[in-house]
Amino acid sequence: MSSFRAQKMAKKKQEILRSAAAILVEKGYQGTTMEEIAAKLLMTKGSMYYYFKNKDDLLFQCHLMIMEICLDGIEKVIESDRNPIEKLRCAIKEHILLATSEKSMFMALSKPHHNFSDEQLQEVLGLRKSYSHYFDRIIHEGIDKQAFGSVDVKMVRLIILGALNWIQEWYDQNGPQSADEISEAYADYLLKMLVK
Amino acid sequence: MSSFRAQKMAKKKQEILRSAAAILVEKGYQGTTMEEIAAKLLMTKGSMYYYFKNKDDLLFQCHLMIMEICLDGIEKVIESDRNPIEKLRCAIKEHILLATSEKSMFMALSKPHHNFSDEQLQEVLGLRKSYSHYFDRIIHEGIDKQAFGSVDVKMVRLIILGALNWIQEWYDQNGPQSADEISEAYADYLLKMLVK
Amino acid sequence: MSSFRAQKMAKKKQEILRSAAAILVEKGYQGTTMEEIAAKLLMTKGSMYYYFKNKDDLLFQCHLMIMEICLDGIEKVIESDRNPIEKLRCAIKEHILLATSEKSMFMALSKPHHNFSDEQLQEVLGLRKSYSHYFDRIIHEGIDKQAFGSVDVKMVRLIILGALNWIQEWYDQNGPQSADEISEAYADYLLKMLVK
Amino acid sequence: MSSFRAQKMAKKKQEILRSAAAILVEKGYQGTTMEEIAAKLLMTKGSMYYYFKNKDDLLFQCHLMIMEICLDGIEKVIESDRNPIEKLRCAIKEHILLATSEKSMFMALSKPHHNFSDEQLQEVLGLRKSYSHYFDRIIHEGIDKQAFGSVDVKMVRLIILGALNWIQEWYDQNGPQSADEISEAYADYLLKMLVK
DNA sequence: CATGAATGAGCTTTCATTCAT
DNA sequence: CATGAATGAAAGCTCATTCAT
C-alpha cells in the first residue's frame, strides 16, 4: 500500500542516483548541473527537487549509495574462507570492476570537505574509514598468518587505494585492456609489495 | 627595454600562477573564482585579464608551469649517474615533495578534457606523456640492467603514479608523517613491485 | 442530494478558507504557499484545486468570507437600538475582537490591486466600501442626533479604521493587555474625537 | 581620493534605495523582484549585487534609510521650542508628509520578522522603538505641562501611529485632498483625544 | 474525490568577462 | 597599467499549476 508508493519512489531515487553518479564522476561536483542530470533521464530540473532536497543532498546520497555497494563487495570478500592473499586479490579486483563498470565514484570526489555539511561529512568519512579498515584487516590477517611481510599497514593500504582510484583517470572502456586484465595485473603487482 | 617589460610581465605572471595553483588544487577548477585568485594577490579581478586571456588560459598556463617544474625535476634525475633503482627512488621522492610542498597540481586536475581547448589539451597531454615516458625510461633501464624483473612497464608506471597522486587527497601538513618519511616509505614499497 | 454534496463542499471550503486566512495574515499573499495551507489541513497541494480555481481565487474567497463576517457584525450593531455613541463603541469593539481573535484579515491585505482581477477587485472594493459606509452611517447618525460634533465624516472614519487595523501589527496574544481591554481603551479615546 | 570613490558609491546606493523603497512599499517584500528594482534605474539585475549583498540586505538598508529620515524629522520637532500641542501637531504633519511624498515605508513593511535576520531585526525594532519613544516624550511633556489630560501614553501613541500609517493605503496623489489638508485634519482630530 | 508526480516559469544569486576612465 | 563598474549568461531553487491514476 503506502509501502508500494514508497518503494516506487525509492526506485526512482536509485535511478536518478545511478545516472547522476556517472556525470558527477565525469565532471566533478561543481561541473555538474541539475539540468544535466535531469536531461539525461528525460526529466526536468524541477522534478529532481521532488526527490532530493537540493544538489548537495543528491550528491550526498550518491556517495552513500556507491559506498554501500563498495562495502557490500568487500564484506563478502572478508567473510569468505579465502586465504589473505586471495582475499586481497579479490578486494582489488572488486574495486577495479566497480570503478570501471559501475562508474564508482568511491573516493572519487576530491576534497569532499568543500561540498558537504559537517554532519554529512562525518558520515561519508565514516564509510570511507570502514572501507579502509576492511583493507587493513585483510593486510593484518596476512601478516598474522605470515603470508605477508611485516609492512606498515596504513602506508601500504594508501598505496593500493591510490593506485586503484587512479584507474578512473585513464581507463577507457574501448581501450586495449579489459577491466579484467587490468585488475589481474594490478593485483599481481600490488601483492608483490606484501608477500614475503 | 621591451625585454625588460616582458620580463617584468613574466614575473608577474609567474606570481599569479603560483598563487592560483594553490587555490585551484584546493577547490578545483569550477570551485575557484577569479576574484579569489585576485584577492589573494591584492589585485582586482579586472587586472588578471591583462595577464591572461581568460580563466581557461590561466588554468592552462598553470598546468604548463607545474608540468615544467615536474619535468625539470625528473630530467635531472634521469641525467644523473645513479643506478635505476636509485633513479626511481629519486623520481618518486621528487614527485611527492612537489605534490606536498609545492602544492603541485600535477595531474591533479582530473579530466582536463572538459576545460581545455583541443589545442591546449594536446599540449597538456603531450607534457603528461613526456613525464610518463621519463618514468618508463627509468623502468626500462632497470629491466635492461637486470635490476628490475621484466614487468609490464606501462602498468607499473600507472600504479606508481596513481599511488603518488593520491597522496594529495590525504596528506596533512600538520600530520604525524613528514613528506620525507612518506616518500621514503612509498619508494621502498613501490620498488618491491620491481626489484627481482 | 446534490444540495447535500454542495453543502459538504461548502463546509470544506470554509474550513480551508479559515485555515488559509490565518497563514495569509501572518505571511502575506506572496509569502504563503499552497503547500503550507494544504499541510495545515493535512491535505495535499493538488486537492486544493478541487475547491479553488487557483491561489488568487483562494485569496479572493478568503477576503469575501472575512468581509462577510465583518459586515454581519456591524450590521447587527447598526440595527440595534443603541444610541450612536454606543453603536460606535460596539463597532470598534467588534472590529478589534475580530482582528485579534478571528485573525481577521479585514483590509489587512495591502494593495489588493496587484493580486486581484478587475472583476474581483470591484467586488472586494465594494464590500470594503459597504463596511466603511456602515461606519459613516453611525457617525452621521451621531451628528444628526447631536451626540457628535460636526466632523469630517470620511476623515474621522479613516482615522478610526487606520487605528484599528494597525492593532494586528503589534497585538500579542500573550501580551499584557487583553483584546477586551484594548478595545475598551480604543473606543474611549477614539470617541473623544467625536463627542461634543 | 578614495573617499571620492566611496562617496560616489554611497550616492548610487542611495539612489537605488530610494527607487527600491517605492516599489517595496507598493508591492511588498516578496512581491518585489530585483529585476524590477534594477529596471526602474535602467540597470541590470546583476549590477545590484555590486552594491548590495543580497535582496535582504537591500531591503534592510532601505528600512534604515527611511527610519533615519523619519527620526531626523521628529528630532527636529522635539528640539524645537514649541509647546507640546504644537509639537505633536508638527510630528503628525511631518509623518504624513513623509508617508505621502517621500514614499516612506516607515513601519509599512508588516511583520518584518519574516524577512530579517535576528541581528537586523534588532536594529530595525530598535529604531522603531526610538521613533515611538519620541512620540511618547511629546505626549508625556504635554501631560506634565497639563496641556493634555492624563491619558494612557502607549495606547494613544498606538492609535495615532496606526491612523497615520494607514494613510498610505488610500492616499492618492491625484485625489481631491492634498497631503497638507489631510495632515491638518488628522492633527486636529487626533489632538482631540489628548487635550483637556 | 484525492493524490503523487511532473512541469515550467520565474526568482535570487554567482561569476567570467568587458570597458571607459 | 589598473580598476571600478556594469553586464549577461547560467546556475540552483521555489512554487503554482496540471493531470493520469
Side-chain angles (χ1 to χ4, degrees), chain C residues 80-112:
Chain C
S80 71
D81 52 358
R82 294 183 179 85
N83 66 49
I85 291 181
E86 283 313 303
K87 277 188 183 171
L88 190 52
R89 183 182 294 277
C90 279
I92 288 169
K93 281 186 173 183
E94 184 75 15
H95 189 109
I96 292 177
L97 288 179
L98 280 173
T100 52
S101 70
E102 264 287 331
K103 287 289 173 197
S104 157
M105 56 182 303
F106 172 57
M107 290 186 175
L109 190 78
S110 301
K111 318 277 176 185

Short mmCIF file of all heavy atoms in Angstrom, two decimals, chain C residues 80-112:
data_model
loop_
_atom_site.label_atom_id
_atom_site.label_comp_id
_atom_site.label_asym_id
_atom_site.label_seq_id
_atom_site.Cartn_x
_atom_site.Cartn_y
_atom_site.Cartn_z
N SER C 80 -29.26 47.54 15.87
CA SER C 80 -29.63 47.53 17.29
C SER C 80 -30.24 48.90 17.65
O SER C 80 -30.12 49.86 16.90
CB SER C 80 -28.40 47.26 18.15
OG SER C 80 -27.54 48.38 18.14
N ASP C 81 -30.86 48.96 18.80
CA ASP C 81 -31.48 50.25 19.17
C ASP C 81 -30.63 51.03 20.16
O ASP C 81 -31.14 51.72 21.03
CB ASP C 81 -32.88 49.99 19.74
CG ASP C 81 -32.83 48.96 20.84
OD1 ASP C 81 -31.73 48.44 21.12
OD2 ASP C 81 -33.88 48.68 21.43
N ARG C 82 -29.32 50.88 19.97
CA ARG C 82 -28.41 51.67 20.82
C ARG C 82 -28.35 53.11 20.30
O ARG C 82 -28.73 53.41 19.16
CB ARG C 82 -27.00 51.09 20.77
CG ARG C 82 -26.85 49.71 21.36
CD ARG C 82 -25.37 49.31 21.30
NE ARG C 82 -25.13 48.00 21.87
CZ ARG C 82 -25.27 46.86 21.20
NH1 ARG C 82 -25.71 46.87 19.94
NH2 ARG C 82 -25.03 45.70 21.78
N ASN C 83 -27.83 53.99 21.12
CA ASN C 83 -27.60 55.35 20.64
C ASN C 83 -26.28 55.38 19.88
O ASN C 83 -25.47 54.46 20.00
CB ASN C 83 -27.59 56.35 21.81
CG ASN C 83 -26.40 56.12 22.74
OD1 ASN C 83 -25.26 56.00 22.30
ND2 ASN C 83 -26.69 56.05 24.03
N PRO C 84 -26.05 56.41 19.10
CA PRO C 84 -24.86 56.45 18.23
C PRO C 84 -23.56 56.22 18.97
O PRO C 84 -22.67 55.53 18.47
CB PRO C 84 -24.92 57.86 17.63
CG PRO C 84 -26.36 58.22 17.66
CD PRO C 84 -26.93 57.59 18.90
N ILE C 85 -23.41 56.79 20.11
CA ILE C 85 -22.17 56.61 20.87
C ILE C 85 -21.94 55.15 21.16
O ILE C 85 -20.86 54.60 20.96
CB ILE C 85 -22.21 57.44 22.18
CG1 ILE C 85 -22.17 58.93 21.84
CG2 ILE C 85 -21.05 57.06 23.08
CD1 ILE C 85 -22.17 59.85 23.04
N GLU C 86 -22.99 54.50 21.64
CA GLU C 86 -22.86 53.09 21.97
C GLU C 86 -22.63 52.26 20.71
O GLU C 86 -21.90 51.27 20.72
CB GLU C 86 -24.10 52.59 22.73
CG GLU C 86 -24.10 53.00 24.19
CD GLU C 86 -22.75 52.75 24.87
OE1 GLU C 86 -22.28 51.58 24.85
OE2 GLU C 86 -22.12 53.72 25.36
N LYS C 87 -23.29 52.67 19.63
CA LYS C 87 -23.10 51.93 18.38
C LYS C 87 -21.65 51.99 17.93
O LYS C 87 -21.06 50.97 17.56
CB LYS C 87 -24.01 52.52 17.28
CG LYS C 87 -25.44 52.00 17.32
CD LYS C 87 -26.22 52.47 16.09
CE LYS C 87 -27.67 52.01 16.16
NZ LYS C 87 -28.52 52.62 15.12
N LEU C 88 -21.08 53.17 17.96
CA LEU C 88 -19.69 53.31 17.51
C LEU C 88 -18.77 52.51 18.42
O LEU C 88 -17.86 51.80 17.98
CB LEU C 88 -19.28 54.78 17.48
CG LEU C 88 -17.93 55.05 16.80
CD1 LEU C 88 -17.87 54.43 15.42
CD2 LEU C 88 -17.69 56.55 16.69
N ARG C 89 -19.05 52.61 19.71
CA ARG C 89 -18.25 51.85 20.67
C ARG C 89 -18.32 50.35 20.35
O ARG C 89 -17.31 49.64 20.33
CB ARG C 89 -18.75 52.14 22.09
CG ARG C 89 -17.94 51.46 23.18
CD ARG C 89 -18.53 51.75 24.56
NE ARG C 89 -18.43 53.16 24.91
CZ ARG C 89 -17.34 53.73 25.43
NH1 ARG C 89 -16.27 52.97 25.64
NH2 ARG C 89 -17.32 54.99 25.72
N CYS C 90 -19.51 49.89 20.06
CA CYS C 90 -19.69 48.48 19.75
C CYS C 90 -18.98 48.09 18.46
O CYS C 90 -18.34 47.04 18.37
CB CYS C 90 -21.17 48.13 19.61
SG CYS C 90 -21.99 47.88 21.17
N ALA C 91 -19.12 48.93 17.47
CA ALA C 91 -18.49 48.64 16.18
C ALA C 91 -16.97 48.53 16.34
O ALA C 91 -16.33 47.64 15.77
CB ALA C 91 -18.85 49.72 15.17
N ILE C 92 -16.44 49.44 17.11
CA ILE C 92 -14.99 49.42 17.35
C ILE C 92 -14.58 48.13 18.06
O ILE C 92 -13.63 47.45 17.68
CB ILE C 92 -14.56 50.66 18.17
CG1 ILE C 92 -14.65 51.91 17.28
CG2 ILE C 92 -13.16 50.49 18.73
CD1 ILE C 92 -14.50 53.22 18.05
N LYS C 93 -15.31 47.81 19.08
CA LYS C 93 -15.02 46.59 19.84
C LYS C 93 -15.11 45.37 18.95
O LYS C 93 -14.23 44.49 18.96
CB LYS C 93 -16.00 46.44 21.00
CG LYS C 93 -15.66 47.30 22.20
CD LYS C 93 -16.60 46.95 23.34
CE LYS C 93 -16.22 47.67 24.63
NZ LYS C 93 -17.11 47.26 25.74
N GLU C 94 -16.17 45.32 18.20
CA GLU C 94 -16.38 44.17 17.32
C GLU C 94 -15.21 44.01 16.35
O GLU C 94 -14.68 42.91 16.17
CB GLU C 94 -17.68 44.38 16.51
CG GLU C 94 -18.07 43.22 15.64
CD GLU C 94 -18.65 42.06 16.43
OE1 GLU C 94 -19.01 42.27 17.61
OE2 GLU C 94 -18.72 40.94 15.89
N HIS C 95 -14.82 45.11 15.76
CA HIS C 95 -13.71 45.07 14.80
C HIS C 95 -12.43 44.56 15.47
O HIS C 95 -11.73 43.71 14.92
CB HIS C 95 -13.48 46.47 14.22
CG HIS C 95 -12.51 46.49 13.09
ND1 HIS C 95 -12.88 46.72 11.80
CD2 HIS C 95 -11.17 46.29 13.07
CE1 HIS C 95 -11.81 46.67 11.02
NE2 HIS C 95 -10.76 46.43 11.77
N ILE C 96 -12.16 45.07 16.62
CA ILE C 96 -10.93 44.66 17.31
C ILE C 96 -10.99 43.19 17.69
O ILE C 96 -10.02 42.45 17.53
CB ILE C 96 -10.69 45.53 18.56
CG1 ILE C 96 -10.36 46.96 18.14
CG2 ILE C 96 -9.56 44.96 19.41
CD1 ILE C 96 -10.15 47.93 19.29
N LEU C 97 -12.14 42.75 18.16
CA LEU C 97 -12.24 41.35 18.54
C LEU C 97 -12.01 40.45 17.34
O LEU C 97 -11.31 39.44 17.41
CB LEU C 97 -13.61 41.07 19.17
CG LEU C 97 -13.75 41.67 20.57
CD1 LEU C 97 -15.13 41.39 21.14
CD2 LEU C 97 -12.68 41.10 21.50
N LEU C 98 -12.60 40.82 16.21
CA LEU C 98 -12.39 40.03 15.00
C LEU C 98 -10.92 40.05 14.59
O LEU C 98 -10.33 39.02 14.25
CB LEU C 98 -13.24 40.57 13.85
CG LEU C 98 -14.70 40.15 13.85
CD1 LEU C 98 -15.47 40.86 12.76
CD2 LEU C 98 -14.81 38.64 13.66
N ALA C 99 -10.35 41.24 14.65
CA ALA C 99 -8.97 41.38 14.18
C ALA C 99 -7.98 40.61 15.05
O ALA C 99 -6.94 40.15 14.58
CB ALA C 99 -8.57 42.85 14.13
N THR C 100 -8.30 40.49 16.31
CA THR C 100 -7.35 39.82 17.21
C THR C 100 -7.66 38.33 17.37
O THR C 100 -6.76 37.51 17.32
CB THR C 100 -7.38 40.48 18.61
OG1 THR C 100 -8.73 40.54 19.05
CG2 THR C 100 -6.81 41.88 18.54
N SER C 101 -8.90 38.01 17.54
CA SER C 101 -9.21 36.61 17.78
C SER C 101 -9.36 35.82 16.49
O SER C 101 -8.73 34.80 16.30
CB SER C 101 -10.50 36.48 18.58
OG SER C 101 -11.59 36.86 17.76
N GLU C 102 -10.18 36.27 15.63
CA GLU C 102 -10.51 35.51 14.43
C GLU C 102 -9.49 35.69 13.33
O GLU C 102 -9.67 35.23 12.23
CB GLU C 102 -11.89 35.94 13.92
CG GLU C 102 -13.03 35.06 14.35
CD GLU C 102 -13.02 33.72 13.64
OE1 GLU C 102 -12.55 33.65 12.50
OE2 GLU C 102 -13.48 32.74 14.24
N LYS C 103 -8.44 36.37 13.69
CA LYS C 103 -7.40 36.59 12.69
C LYS C 103 -7.99 37.21 11.44
O LYS C 103 -7.70 36.80 10.32
CB LYS C 103 -6.72 35.27 12.32
CG LYS C 103 -5.81 34.74 13.38
CD LYS C 103 -4.58 35.61 13.47
CE LYS C 103 -3.69 35.22 14.66
NZ LYS C 103 -2.76 36.31 14.93
N SER C 104 -8.84 38.12 11.65
CA SER C 104 -9.44 38.80 10.51
C SER C 104 -8.35 39.40 9.65
O SER C 104 -7.37 39.94 10.14
CB SER C 104 -10.34 39.92 11.00
OG SER C 104 -10.49 40.89 9.97
N MET C 105 -8.52 39.27 8.39
CA MET C 105 -7.58 39.96 7.52
C MET C 105 -8.30 41.12 6.85
O MET C 105 -7.97 41.52 5.76
CB MET C 105 -6.99 39.02 6.49
CG MET C 105 -7.99 38.31 5.65
SD MET C 105 -7.15 37.19 4.52
CE MET C 105 -6.07 38.29 3.65
N PHE C 106 -9.27 41.60 7.54
CA PHE C 106 -10.03 42.72 7.00
C PHE C 106 -9.09 43.85 6.62
O PHE C 106 -8.40 44.39 7.46
CB PHE C 106 -11.04 43.23 8.01
CG PHE C 106 -11.67 44.50 7.55
CD1 PHE C 106 -12.35 44.55 6.34
CD2 PHE C 106 -11.58 45.65 8.32
CE1 PHE C 106 -12.93 45.73 5.91
CE2 PHE C 106 -12.17 46.83 7.89
CZ PHE C 106 -12.85 46.87 6.69
N MET C 107 -9.15 44.16 5.34
CA MET C 107 -8.32 45.26 4.86
C MET C 107 -6.86 45.03 5.22
O MET C 107 -6.05 45.95 5.17
CB MET C 107 -8.78 46.59 5.48
CG MET C 107 -10.11 47.04 4.94
SD MET C 107 -10.54 48.68 5.55
CE MET C 107 -12.05 49.00 4.64
N ALA C 108 -6.57 43.81 5.57
CA ALA C 108 -5.21 43.55 6.02
C ALA C 108 -4.29 43.38 4.84
O ALA C 108 -3.10 43.59 4.93
CB ALA C 108 -5.17 42.30 6.88
N LEU C 109 -4.87 42.95 3.75
CA LEU C 109 -4.03 42.76 2.59
C LEU C 109 -3.87 44.11 1.89
O LEU C 109 -4.75 44.59 1.19
CB LEU C 109 -4.64 41.75 1.62
CG LEU C 109 -3.67 41.38 0.53
CD1 LEU C 109 -2.65 40.38 1.04
CD2 LEU C 109 -4.40 40.84 -0.67
N SER C 110 -2.71 44.67 2.09
CA SER C 110 -2.47 45.97 1.48
C SER C 110 -2.48 45.85 -0.03
O SER C 110 -2.14 44.81 -0.58
CB SER C 110 -1.10 46.48 1.93
OG SER C 110 -1.08 46.59 3.33
N LYS C 111 -2.84 46.92 -0.63
CA LYS C 111 -2.76 47.00 -2.08
C LYS C 111 -3.27 45.73 -2.77
O LYS C 111 -2.51 45.03 -3.43
CB LYS C 111 -1.30 47.22 -2.49
CG LYS C 111 -0.56 48.21 -1.63
CD LYS C 111 -0.82 49.61 -2.08
CE LYS C 111 -0.13 50.59 -1.14
NZ LYS C 111 -0.45 51.97 -1.46
N PRO C 112 -4.52 45.43 -2.60
CA PRO C 112 -5.03 44.22 -3.24
C PRO C 112 -5.02 44.34 -4.76
O PRO C 112 -5.20 43.36 -5.46
CB PRO C 112 -6.47 44.11 -2.71
CG PRO C 112 -6.83 45.48 -2.31
CD PRO C 112 -5.58 46.19 -1.93
#
